[in-house]
Every structure is written in C-alpha cells, then in structure tokens.
Amino acid sequence: MSSIWVYPGQGAQKVNMLRDLPQTTLVQHYLEQATNILKQDVLLLDQPEALKSTYAVQLCLFISGVISSSLMSEQGVKPDYVAGLSIGAWAAATVAGVLSFEDGLKLVALRGRLMQQAYPSGYGMTALMGTTQSDVEIWVNQVYQQNQDIFIANLNTANQIVISGSNQAMKQVAEKAQENGVLAKRLEVSVPSHCSLLDVQAKQLAEHIKGVAQQQPNIRYLSGTSARLLVKKEQVIEDISFNMCRMIDWESTVQSAWERGVRLQIESLPGTVLTGLARQTFKEGTVLSFQGTRLHSLIGAMHKESARSLNA
C-alpha cells in the first residue's frame, strides 16, 4: 500500500487561489519568495483579469501545488509517488526535488510566456464527455482533412477525451460529437496544449532548462504523458520540458499508480478535478483533495496509509 500526491493542470484555476491559501508563516514565506523571484506581486496573478492569461494561470497552479505539498511535508509526511497533469508535472518535479522552487518558478514563467505568445487568441481546448477515444479519433480525422489545427490532447478517462486546436476546428469536432449525444465543454484554457502546435515552444524551453541545476528525484515520479515511472533526473526534465506538445494519458497514469499499489491519492490545491477522475480506478482506495479537506485529515490519511504499508 502506498500514496501519491497529484497536481492539476490548467482549467483548475480559481480566482483568489493564492489569497485563499492558509495564512501560515510557511505560506507567507513562499509567496514573498515568489514575489521577489518574479519581481511582481504574485497576489495580483490570481485576480479575474490576470487569470485570462496562460502565464498567470500556470504560475498560480505551480505555486499552489508546491505550497500544498510543503504544508503536508511540514507535518512529517511524504508520498511514495508524485504525478502532475500538464503544468502540474512541474510542481510534481519540484516536490520530488528535481528542481528548486526558484528555478521551477522561473521556468514555469518562461513556459507560460512562450505558450501565450505563440497563441494569444483563437485557440484552446474542449472536453468531450460520454464518448470513446476511437470515436473522437474519427471526428478529429474528418475535420483534420480540411483544418489541420485539431488534435486529441488528453485521455482523462475512458469516456472523457480532450481535444486541442483552433476555435473553428474544435467547434466542428464538437458539433459532430453533439450529433452523437456527446457533451462538449470548452475548457478555461486559451492555448492549444498537448499537440504538435507547441513543438517549437517545447524545444525552446528545453534549451533554457539545460543550464539549470537538477537533482535525482527523491520521490518516485510518474509521467502524466507516458504513465511510466521516471527514475533519472534527465528523464524527468525531458518529460516536463516537452509535455506541452505531447498528449496527456492521465487515465493510464492513474491506472499505473493503482497497479503499483497506490491506495491513497491526494490532490493539491486549488481544485478537485483529478480527484473526480480517479474515483473509478480507486473504488477500493481513497481519493482526497486539499480543497474542502482539513489539513489534519489529510495528514491522518497519510499516516493511516503508511501504517498499512508497514503491516502489508
């Protein structure tokens, strides 16, 4: 029996997500550190107008993820695994010790700027719910023949697939899906993540990260793209550098965690998206989220799972 801490991607952001963090010395330290590193008040990043930008959203999610984990680590608990969806993988890598908080923050800021500058408008992501990957592949291929700005981006669950691309192409795929009784929902993401449209930006980011100090992970890191366990720092760095242009396979990542004996998943702030996605797989396990759960309850769950591991 073991545990995993997971970190959400874009779409989970909320107004005041940094301002609503627990008012503790540790949290204040992180927020002040982030402000000094970025040379801007990070508490302005979680406001409605700011959250329209990919740059602000990614920074807020990264900061929230690292702080969530630090609040638990401060209480003497440590997960067996970490994993993150999209930008969440950067928080996972930082929590695993591969990157420092300072370097991770600077690189996430660069990541957000690169993605935002490449696609300032006219693109995004749409979730299709109540369908299968094979059906979505057919619709995407049909639209792709006329408009090549459309791709499958995320395999969230067996019946929840996310597409990425231009607004026009996504609308065409969504119409085909809706004709077949599928629910289509535009996500709060303003760039076409997890497809080849971001190949150039991923390569630029990979060049920047080469000179940054890197350490071997001290917590096992599961890739949200390949669902594989990555044990070397070079593998983790390559994974987070290029995940913006690679399809996310979160369904397989959750399944991989379960098959490795994980029975407790805790999702970092700010949301509960990954908690919902894991419920089907973790029917006989426990899925919790920082959002709406008291810290002492999360710590208690971690201790309980550790005790099970010792007695197994």
Side-chain angles (χ1 to χ4, degrees):
M1 308 296 176
S2 54
S3 59
I4 187 170
W5 293 354
V6 297
Y7 307 85
Q10 283 183 252
Q13 67 269 16
K14 296 180 179 180
V15 173
N16 292 330
M17 57 189 286
L18 297 183
R19 293 167 187 259
D20 290 342
L21 288 166
Q23 301 298 305
T24 69
T25 301
L26 181 144
V27 171
Q28 189 60 36
H29 169 74
Y30 269 107
L31 294 178
E32 289 177 357
Q33 186 182 2
T35 291
N36 292 333
I37 293 168
L38 296 173
K39 296 180 172 54
Q40 65 181 127
D41 186 352
V42 294
L43 290 181
L44 297 178
L45 295 175
D46 67 359
Q47 296 307 288
E49 192 62 31
L51 287 177
K52 292 178 181 178
S53 78
T54 297
Y55 169 83
V57 170
Q58 294 194 8
L59 283 171
C60 286
L61 290 171
F62 175 77
I63 294 168
S64 293
V66 172
I67 288 178
S68 296
S69 295
S70 294
L71 286 167
M72 289 194 284
S73 298
E74 189 181 39
Q75 300 298 315
V77 297
K78 177 180 177 180
D80 298 285
Y81 296 88
V82 291
L85 194 157
S86 190
I87 186 61
W90 286 80
T94 301
V95 171
V98 178
L99 293 172
S100 68
F101 175 68
E102 179 176 356
D103 287 335
L105 191 69
K106 290 178 179 178
L107 288 163
V108 166
L110 174 62
R111 184 183 192 267
R113 284 196 298 268
L114 286 171
M115 295 170 74
Q116 186 172 300
Q117 289 167 3
Y119 297 96
S121 63
Y123 287 79
M125 304 180 78
T126 299
L128 304 177
M129 291 161 281
T131 185
T132 63
Q133 181 181 350
S134 58
D135 283 341
V136 177
E137 285 174 349
I138 292 172
W139 303 325
V140 166
N141 288 336
Q142 289 172 346
V143 174
Y144 189 85
Q145 302 307 313
Q146 288 78 40
N147 187 335
Q148 297 186 353
D149 284 353
I150 188 69
F151 302 87
I152 292 180
N154 295 34
L155 306 178
N156 284 347
T157 66
N159 61 3
Q160 185 182 124
I161 316 295
V162 178
I163 57 174
S164 187
S166 68
N167 291 346
Q168 180 184 5
M170 287 194 300
K171 182 181 178 182
Q172 291 176 312
V173 172
E175 288 172 350
K176 291 178 181 294
Q178 289 165 337
E179 288 171 3
N180 288 273
V182 174
L183 176 63
K185 180 183 179 183
R186 179 67 183 259
L187 300 180
E188 292 296 323
V189 181
S190 57
V191 291
S193 297
H194 309 304
C195 68
S196 59
L197 293 175
L198 287 169
D199 280 350
V200 172
Q201 290 68 36
K203 290 175 184 175
Q204 291 173 332
L205 183 60
E207 283 300 312
H208 278 276
I209 204 172
K210 284 181 179 178
V212 174
Q214 304 159 17
Q215 304 295 328
Q216 288 294 106
N218 55 44
I219 301 172
R220 283 170 280 188
Y221 175 97
L222 279 179
S223 167
T225 53
S226 68
R228 291 175 52 232
L229 179 66
L230 304 182
V231 297
K232 297 180 179 179
K233 61 183 180 182
E234 295 84 3
Q235 293 175 311
V236 177
I237 292 297
E238 199 268 349
D239 186 65
I240 60 176
S241 297
F242 288 93
N243 74 355
M244 71 164 80
C245 67
R246 293 174 178 167
M247 185 177 71
I248 296 291
D249 190 352
W250 194 251
E251 179 190 9
S252 294
T253 303
V254 173
Q255 186 62 39
S256 176
W258 179 264
E259 291 172 358
R260 292 174 185 278
V262 172
R263 295 297 179 266
L264 171 64
Q265 174 185 292
I266 295 179
E267 178 178 1
S268 78
L269 290 167
T272 60
V273 173
L274 302 185
T275 303
L277 295 180
R279 290 197 188 282
Q280 185 68 23
T281 301
F282 276 72
K283 283 181 179 178
E284 297 175 10
T286 303
V287 287
L288 299 170
S289 59
F290 236 95
Q291 183 72 35
T293 307
R294 293 183 182 276
L295 179 59
H296 71 80
S297 297
L298 298 175
I299 301 303
M302 286 293 296
H303 285 311
K304 186 177 180 180
E305 197 59 36
S306 295
R308 283 180 183 164
S309 299
L310 293 173
N311 295 326

